[in-house]
Amino acid sequence: VVAQLPVGTLGQILRPAYDKFPCEKRAYLMPDKARSAALRAQLDLAPGVKLIGMSWVSKNIAFGRHKSTTLAEWAEIMATPGVRFVDLQYGDTSEEREAFRAQFGDRLAHIDGLDLREDIEGMFALTAACDQVITVSNTTAHVAGALGIPTWVMVPLGGGKLWYWGVEKNWTPWYPTIEIIRQVKHGEWDSTLRVVTDRLKHQLAART
């Protein structure tokens, strides 16, 4: 007898309830630690500066537009003192980054020569080099969650709100280190990013 089962279906069989998730399991992937350390060193962070990886676009053809922001919408949060943001957005974003730099200055670090779409091990290493990740609901969110990196994921209210983010909770059993921040107004991200900005400032203030 030959049987076939999509790998995505295994969840409902192996994890049918919250108590079936191992609480001690915080990471599923292991990055290249030496490469991760080298990438962080390449960013030449000042002492005490927090490194936050960010990703602002979903490339999903069907409903990625509902989950995506523009880089310009992140201008306020990237002006937060004591933080250095690094680009974790896969795909070619050179034109958008250049337009952002011309308008707002050099607020986003980018690792030249690292293809975050084709070099998946490199993506793992750079993500693991971050102290925290803030992202829309896309591949970056899953990579950060699987690596066990503290992550805030902005989830849309309407189209593109996928089942694994749940309906109301600010957490998901699939990734214990992810905190869900739900869109404040349907189809609009500015107000949600203001919430993220305020939360980040509060988090930084609590460290001092």
Side-chain angles (χ1 to χ4, degrees):
V1 177
V2 178
Q4 181 270 339
L5 184 69
V7 67
T9 306
L10 292 175
Q12 66 183 358
I13 298 172
L14 301 176
R15 299 288 186 265
Y18 287 140
D19 61 2
K20 299 301 181 182
F21 286 81
C23 296
E24 73 280 1
K25 191 73 171 180
R26 297 180 64 83
Y28 305 90
L29 295 175
M30 293 295 293
D32 181 331
K33 293 183 179 180
R35 189 176 184 187
S36 183
L39 287 169
R40 186 177 175 99
Q42 185 176 337
L43 292 168
D44 194 25
L45 297 173
V49 171
K50 183 174 186 176
L51 181 62
I52 296 182
M54 58 167 285
S55 182
W56 61 95
V57 173
S58 167
K59 299 291 186 176
N60 186 289
I61 297 175
F63 41 76
R65 66 188 185 280
H66 299 295
K67 302 192 293 175
S68 297
T69 63
T70 65
L71 183 55
E73 289 175 301
W74 291 66
E76 182 179 357
I77 188 173
M78 281 197 285
T80 304
V83 176
R84 183 62 165 152
F85 284 87
V86 64
D87 179 11
L88 292 181
Q89 181 60 55
Y90 50 90
D92 183 6
T93 61
S94 55
E95 289 187 7
E96 190 175 10
R97 286 187 288 105
E98 184 57 38
F100 182 91
R101 185 182 298 108
Q103 184 174 1
F104 299 105
D106 188 17
R107 299 184 187 180
L108 179 63
H110 177 79
I111 303 294
D112 292 329
L114 176 58
D115 189 331
L116 295 172
R117 180 186 291 277
E118 299 299 327
D119 183 359
I120 193 66
E121 292 288 348
M123 183 185 189
F124 294 168
L126 182 56
T127 304
C130 298
D131 299 306
Q132 183 177 348
V133 169
I134 303 175
T135 180
V136 297
S137 170
N138 62 4
T139 299
T140 306
H142 295 283
V143 168
L147 287 166
I149 306 301
T151 301
W152 295 348
V153 177
M154 299 188 299
V155 174
L157 284 175
K161 183 174 68 174
L162 301 172
W163 61 270
Y164 39 76
W165 301 132
V167 178
E168 296 178 342
K169 298 183 185 299
N170 67 346
W171 55 273
T172 171
W174 299 99
Y175 304 116
T177 59
I178 280 183
E179 180 177 351
I180 298 167
I181 299 178
R182 300 187 185 277
Q183 192 176 47
V184 176
K185 296 179 181 178
H186 182 271
E188 180 264 298
W189 287 108
D190 282 346
S191 51
T192 308
L193 280 161
R194 282 195 294 271
V195 169
V196 174
T197 302
D198 291 343
R199 188 171 298 188
L200 179 59
K201 290 179 178 177
H202 179 76
Q203 181 190 76
L204 294 170
R207 294 172 58 193
T208 59

